Amino acid sequence: MGTQKETQEEGVNLQLMEDKEKGGYKNSVHHEDGEGSPLNTEDYDPHMHRNVPHPTTNIETLIHILKGSLGTGILAMPEAFANSGYVSGFINTLIIGALCTYCLHILVRTQYIICKRNRLPILTFPASMQIALEQGPKSLRPYARASALIVDTFLIIYQLGICCVYIVFVATNIKQLVDYYWMELDVKIHMLIILMPLIGLNCIRNLKLLAPFSSFANVITFVGLGLILTYILDDIPGPSARDAIGPIGKFPLFFGTVLFALEAVGVVIAVENNMKTPKNFGGYFGVLNIGMFVITILYAIIGFLGYLKFGNDAKGSITLNISQTDITAQAITIIFAVAIFISYGLQCYVPVEIIWNQYLLKRFENSPKKLMWEFITRIVVVIITFLLAVAIPRLGLFISLFGALCLSALGLAFPCIMEICVLWPNDLGPWRYVLIRDILLIVFGVIGLVAGTYTSVRDIILSFM
């Protein structure tokens, strides 16, 4: 078990792969006919067997969840409401928030059942997906290995997309101030200037060390939101001046933006896996519900009031709508530029963990230069996000695209597929209502993915013409 402990310290994914190779699933309550049931497993509590090198407290976990979601997405909410109308936007933000939270509960609960059934202390999202399909309906088992790669790919694309958005956001807001006080420079120059500090931030190797940075970012984010509300409420038009219901053709853009803003599935799984007391994560008044409730309400309020203030002129970030001649507006710009810059480290943690632990670590496990190669990986990831940000500096459309493309699958469809497999065939409830509910959520996610991605890509192409 000494080897397993060492690999846990390097990352969850490699440990799970070694467990499987050593026969770690041999105690699984699994039958070839797919009739394994979470109710028939041995008395094994995965939470009691976790060995996390740097566990986070409930407060630290809540801070990470808030910081993982209170990013550029909340500042894009007025533009999202401009695509939906204030009535449709407010109601649908609450609905999407509830759906996201519910599907996150499905994901965490399903992972727990898989861990309990297979006597494993901890699982990543891709590993959970693979095991769920391996032990689910026979028709899905051939796709089990591919499913882990698909989840990894979506997670990496989404998290790198967030990092790209963050680079564009920080550089654009710095440009506003520099243009006003000094001279006009291309936004790409500002991206290049912040590149080295971002590399330094991404070289912080564990979440516990990032917690103080997240705490500071959360504090200044709430200060910034307070200042924004003060600015927005000053001489705000009434609802009669705006559209209650927006054009149906723009709703996919609203959906993608809100999903991007609300759904932090990669961060949620990472922080839950690193909790000191993971049992406090779920439940009616658990860390997840408290965090998502606060986030959803804030998003709905900012979107509603921001749309009333700016109308159809709302841009990809509120900070781009406010005049930089005002001291308060300049303070808002600085606050959010600093907060989003800090948040880059947390968002980049997820793709680095996947790329390094799952695909690269086994190649350098016995190398004396292992640490050097890890830092090279971290630097390369930052450079990739920098190059993508330079290539497509369209903030609002970037947000909508990655929300629709990745989170419709990661946040809605995949957790439901996992739950169907884990509960198949005897634990799907009376009249198989769980199966029906999950299928409806999967269909909703697929429609959102197709419609949102198509609309976002179309508008990105048109924006370059």
Side-chain angles (χ1 to χ4, degrees):
M1 294 302 291
T3 300
Q4 191 180 57
K5 180 177 179 181
E6 291 169 3
T7 51
Q8 266 192 328
E9 292 176 358
E10 294 298 333
V12 172
N13 290 324
L14 185 67
Q15 174 232 323
L16 292 171
M17 290 173 62
E18 291 187 351
D19 280 346
K20 188 171 183 179
E21 290 170 0
K22 295 174 184 177
Y25 302 154
K26 65 184 178 181
N27 292 322
S28 164
V29 179
H30 167 61
H31 306 284
E32 290 302 316
D33 59 2
E35 293 181 356
S37 168
L39 301 178
N40 297 328
T41 190
E42 297 178 36
D43 186 18
Y44 175 86
D45 186 353
H47 293 161
M48 301 300 294
H49 294 269
R50 287 187 178 182
N51 181 20
V52 181
H54 306 283
T56 54
T57 65
N58 292 350
I59 296 298
E60 289 172 336
T61 302
L62 180 60
I63 288 170
H64 280 315
I65 291 176
L66 292 174
K67 193 71 231 87
S69 293
L70 290 177
T72 54
I74 192 167
L75 301 178
M77 286 303 294
E79 184 186 47
F81 272 56
N83 290 321
S84 67
Y86 63 86
V87 172
S88 173
F90 194 88
I91 294 173
N92 283 296
T93 297
L94 298 181
I95 292 174
I96 294 173
L99 283 176
C100 288
T101 306
Y102 185 69
C103 288
L104 286 172
H105 276 289
I106 289 176
L107 178 58
V108 173
R109 184 171 65 245
T110 302
Q111 283 189 311
Y112 180 83
I113 294 173
I114 295 172
C115 286
K116 186 177 181 67
R117 184 182 291 178
N118 293 279
R119 302 184 67 82
L120 291 168
I122 198 168
L123 277 174
T124 59
F125 193 170
S128 301
M129 190 75 175
Q130 179 174 337
I131 297 173
L133 265 66
E134 285 175 346
Q135 301 178 356
K138 287 184 179 180
S139 59
L140 295 179
R141 292 178 195 175
Y143 308 104
R145 185 175 296 274
S147 70
L149 179 61
I150 292 171
V151 174
D152 270 340
T153 301
F154 272 101
L155 278 171
I156 292 171
I157 291 174
Y158 169 59
Q159 294 295 150
L160 292 181
I162 292 179
C163 294
C164 293
V165 169
Y166 281 16
I167 292 175
V168 174
F169 178 89
V170 173
T172 304
N173 281 273
I174 292 175
K175 173 178 167 58
Q176 279 193 309
L177 291 174
V178 173
D179 287 354
Y180 181 74
Y181 280 108
W182 187 36
M183 62 181 294
E184 289 193 18
L185 295 173
D186 192 283
V187 68
K188 296 174 184 178
I189 300 297
H190 294 287
M191 292 182 190
L192 185 61
I193 291 171
I194 65 174
L195 177 59
M196 287 306 297
L198 288 173
I199 289 174
L201 186 65
N202 196 42
C203 287
I204 297 176
R205 300 174 63 217
N206 69 67
L207 282 176
K208 194 163 184 68
L209 289 179
L210 284 174
F213 293 97
S214 290
S215 299
F216 175 70
N218 273 343
V219 170
I220 63 175
T221 296
F222 278 105
V223 171
L225 289 175
L227 292 174
I228 281 178
L229 284 173
T230 301
Y231 186 92
I232 289 175
L233 292 172
D234 182 30
D235 195 27
I236 187 172
S240 60
R242 308 298 181 209
D243 295 329
I245 308 293
I248 190 66
K250 289 191 173 183
F251 188 82
L253 291 175
F254 165 83
F255 176 79
T257 300
V258 176
L259 204 57
F260 177 95
L262 286 173
E263 184 67 90
V265 61
V267 172
V268 165
I269 296 305
V271 297
E272 195 274 341
N273 280 349
N274 278 273
M275 281 187 73
K276 183 184 297 182
T277 54
K279 289 187 182 298
N280 294 334
F281 190 76
Y284 291 112
F285 299 100
V287 174
L288 178 59
N289 277 358
I290 293 173
M292 290 301 292
F293 176 79
V294 172
I295 290 164
T296 302
I297 296 300
L298 279 175
Y299 272 68
I301 291 173
I302 294 296
F304 177 79
L305 295 177
Y307 175 56
L308 292 186
K309 177 72 173 181
F310 304 115
N312 292 328
D313 294 327
K315 298 180 181 179
S317 169
I318 294 175
T319 57
L320 302 179
N321 276 107
I322 57 183
S323 172
Q324 290 306 305
T325 60
D326 183 75
I327 295 298
T328 302
Q330 293 172 2
I332 292 171
T333 299
I334 293 171
I335 285 171
F336 278 101
V338 172
I340 297 305
F341 173 84
I342 292 173
S343 301
Y344 181 94
L346 178 60
Q347 298 295 348
C348 212
Y349 177 88
V350 177
V352 169
E353 283 290 293
I354 295 172
I355 294 168
W356 175 250
N357 290 319
Q358 185 73 23
Y359 299 101
L360 298 180
L361 179 57
K362 55 188 175 184
R363 298 186 180 185
F364 302 105
E365 181 63 42
N366 299 317
S367 171
K369 298 181 178 180
K370 181 175 70 173
L371 186 61
M372 180 194 76
W373 283 111
E374 180 182 346
F375 281 116
I376 289 175
T377 301
R378 292 176 177 276
I379 292 169
V380 169
V381 167
V382 177
I383 292 174
I384 290 172
T385 61
F386 164 76
L387 294 175
L388 289 172
V390 169
I392 314 177
R394 300 289 194 272
L395 186 61
L397 295 176
F398 226 144
I399 289 174
S400 183
L401 172 62
F402 283 105
L405 175 62
C406 297
L407 289 176
S408 295
L410 289 172
L412 300 177
F414 290 169
C416 295
I417 293 172
M418 285 172 54
E419 184 176 49
I420 290 173
C421 291
V422 167
L423 300 183
W424 183 271
N426 298 324
D427 297 304
L428 294 168
W431 301 288
R432 297 200 167 187
Y433 81 91
V434 174
L435 177 64
I436 297 171
R437 179 202 65 199
D438 285 347
I439 289 176
L440 290 175
L441 286 172
I442 292 169
V443 171
F444 179 74
V446 171
I447 292 173
L449 186 154
V450 174
T453 302
Y454 168 79
T455 306
S456 299
V457 170
R458 181 198 65 193
D459 286 7
I460 287 173
I461 294 172
L462 291 175
S463 72
F464 282 100
M465 291 181 177

